[in-house]
Amino acid sequence: LLTITRVNNDFPFMRYLSDSYQRDRIKYNLEDNALTVPKWFKSKKYFQNMVEQKPKKADQTKQAINGYCNRILPILSFAPMIRIDDSIKLISQYLIITTNLIQKMCTE
């Protein structure tokens, strides 16, 4: 894969492959499916042809994408870390209390 990058005028082949994988993961996530690198690899015609013609290179490419996504470009997390209570009523109360506090501090 590094050879492909060097021969093609520093075309970031690995970055584009991993970007394509991440985009497809987002699409699959919207359908409530988990997309792994092997499953993604089997779904793409480019890689199917590569497996038929050069199985060793195909396996190396699959491992490279998996390694790149694990080390360089972490997998996107779709689970929320926290839940935000965005009640307009509560926010407006906080704003009123805050402005009253600031006004009180300025007059003292």
Side-chain angles (χ1 to χ4, degrees):
L1 293 174
L2 290 175
T3 304
I4 292 172
T5 300
R6 288 188 185 127
V7 169
N8 292 314
N9 297 322
D10 290 328
F11 179 76
F13 186 67
M14 192 57 148
R15 189 178 313 151
Y16 289 151
L17 280 179
S18 62
D19 185 50
S20 177
Y21 168 64
Q22 294 288 2
R23 287 173 188 237
D24 286 345
R25 276 194 69 240
I26 292 169
K27 288 179 192 174
Y28 269 71
N29 188 58
L30 294 175
E31 299 168 1
D32 293 328
N33 294 324
L35 183 64
T36 61
V37 172
K39 190 188 282 187
W40 175 73
F41 209 78
K42 289 178 183 175
S43 71
K44 297 296 176 186
K45 193 172 189 173
Y46 174 79
F47 296 121
Q48 291 171 359
N49 292 337
M50 185 187 283
V51 168
E52 291 172 8
Q53 295 172 4
K54 298 179 180 181
K56 186 176 179 182
K57 290 288 183 192
D59 189 49
Q60 289 173 343
T61 304
K62 187 189 322 179
Q63 290 175 5
I65 294 168
N66 199 20
Y68 186 85
C69 289
N70 287 335
R71 292 184 187 104
I72 310 289
L73 180 71
I75 301 252
L76 298 172
S77 175
F78 297 115
M81 295 173 69
I82 59 171
R83 181 176 171 88
I84 299 173
D85 182 11
D86 57 349
S87 167
I88 293 178
K89 182 179 178 183
L90 286 175
I91 292 172
S92 61
Q93 288 174 349
Y94 287 136
L95 289 173
I96 290 170
I97 291 170
T98 304
T99 54
N100 288 342
L101 176 66
I102 293 171
Q103 184 179 14
K104 185 177 179 182
M105 289 172 67
C106 289
T107 56
E108 291 179 354

